[in-house]
Amino acid sequence: MLSGEMLAGAPLALGAAAAFGASSVLQFRASHRTPSQPAGRPTLLLHLIRQREWRWSVVLAVGAFGLQVAALSLTPLILVQPLLITGLLWYVLLYSLAERTRPDLRTMLEAVLCLVALSAFLLIARPGAGRGEGLNSFSSALLLGVAVAGAVSLCLVAAVGLGPKWRPLPLALAAGVCYGATAGLISSLVFYYNGSPLSVFGQWQTYALIVLGPFGVLLSQNAYQAGPLGAPALATIIVADPLVSLGVGLLWLDERVKTGPWQITGQILALATLAGAVFLLAQRAPHLDQETAD
């Protein structure tokens, strides 16, 4: 069972999800007012930073990041990251509010299905904290770096080969990989924090975060800008993020979930339902396909 201290991080994670959802609404709107740029090119950020709407999205994203770090200091990575999936629910509701439309009944039912699947996963998995020492060795750090670089590279290659309609999805997957790995690095840094902010600057994870975090943001902006499938792009990011961080937690940070045959089966079914619900929910977002509206 999770302790009261661990559960204290859950409201912080939900607050981070709400801030992330609001930030994503502003980023999507801003990205479609910006000249298109090739994937991974930093000039896109230079164009975006000139827009006040995008600058406010950065403020919200920083707030979400702060809440996420606070949640990770109290609660296992495997519990925090799935809670961030609720950011998509906030995104759909806030985008509808910004466009002065009302989410339909199907959208709300899919949102409820998403939350039910998430709750089922948490109840079945019963995540537990680890020692966070798995990234101490050079070999483990190198393996994580190679895995992240390989996954992102494959996604970028796939994006080049796809048409405009589907190109956002591999770009969003690459961003989700970066975000999930970033969450794992943050969680590992918590074990080295001794009360002074300067203590983390002696760890390699800090410098990896400085590179990986902004690159993930850039890829997410590429995904939003690449085509009319903005909401599925966000759904891909939000699903990939916790799944990647769950893998980092299990493989490198010694976090644990229940591993009995029935528990594993239940977790797989819950995650599959969650992924399906998030994708269906994204399809119902108001701006899913501008081509059908023309």
Side-chain angles (χ1 to χ4, degrees):
M1 299 243 349
L2 293 172
S3 68
E5 184 182 54
M6 288 184 180
L7 290 175
L12 295 173
L14 292 172
F20 178 67
S23 174
S24 298
V25 170
L26 297 178
Q27 288 177 7
F28 179 85
R29 290 162 60 94
S31 69
H32 279 258
R33 301 191 185 106
T34 304
S36 180
Q37 300 290 319
R41 183 171 293 180
T43 51
L44 175 59
L45 296 180
L46 296 178
H47 288 289
L48 286 169
I49 203 170
R50 297 171 186 167
Q51 299 193 39
R52 184 175 65 176
E53 195 170 39
W54 195 82
R55 293 195 296 270
W56 275 112
S57 79
V58 172
V59 173
L60 286 169
V62 170
F65 179 76
L67 290 171
Q68 181 184 7
V69 171
L72 287 169
S73 69
L74 297 172
T75 306
L77 176 68
I78 293 175
L79 175 58
V80 170
Q81 291 305 104
L83 291 175
L84 295 180
I85 293 175
T86 58
L88 181 60
L89 309 184
W90 284 103
Y91 174 85
V92 172
L93 294 173
L94 292 173
Y95 190 92
S96 298
L97 181 63
E99 296 297 312
R100 298 182 180 179
T101 61
R102 181 178 298 177
D104 61 13
L105 178 61
R106 178 176 163 183
T107 298
M108 301 311 298
L109 290 175
E110 288 163 355
V112 171
L113 178 60
C114 178
L115 292 176
V116 169
L118 173 62
S119 300
F121 172 76
L122 296 175
L123 287 172
I124 296 169
R126 294 186 181 179
R131 297 185 301 272
E133 298 174 354
L135 291 174
N136 286 353
S137 69
F138 175 77
S139 59
S140 295
L142 180 62
L143 182 59
L144 177 61
V146 169
V148 172
V152 170
S153 297
L154 288 174
C155 290
L156 294 179
V157 170
V160 171
L162 291 176
K165 185 174 182 179
W166 297 106
R167 188 172 296 136
L169 299 184
L171 292 173
L173 180 58
V177 170
C178 291
Y179 288 160
T182 296
L185 294 173
I186 293 170
S187 186
S188 69
L189 273 177
V190 169
F191 292 88
Y192 300 102
Y193 182 72
N194 60 11
S196 170
L198 296 178
S199 61
V200 298
F201 287 97
Q203 307 300 324
W204 69 268
Q205 292 95 323
T206 301
Y207 305 98
L209 286 170
I210 293 172
V211 175
L212 196 59
F215 189 61
V217 171
L218 176 59
L219 290 173
S220 68
Q221 305 312 299
N222 287 137
Y224 291 145
Q225 190 182 61
L229 299 177
L234 178 61
T236 302
I237 293 172
I238 287 180
V239 169
D241 182 352
L243 292 181
V244 170
S245 63
L246 187 150
V248 174
L250 291 175
L251 295 174
W252 281 280
L253 302 183
D254 195 33
E255 296 193 348
R256 304 175 302 278
V257 295
K258 295 296 183 181
T259 56
W262 291 109
Q263 287 92 339
I264 292 176
T265 301
Q267 291 167 39
I268 292 173
L269 290 175
L271 287 175
T273 303
L274 176 60
V278 169
F279 184 74
L280 290 173
L281 182 63
Q283 284 189 312
R284 298 293 289 181
H287 61 267
L288 171 62
D289 195 341
Q290 296 172 355
E291 295 175 349
T292 61
D294 293 337

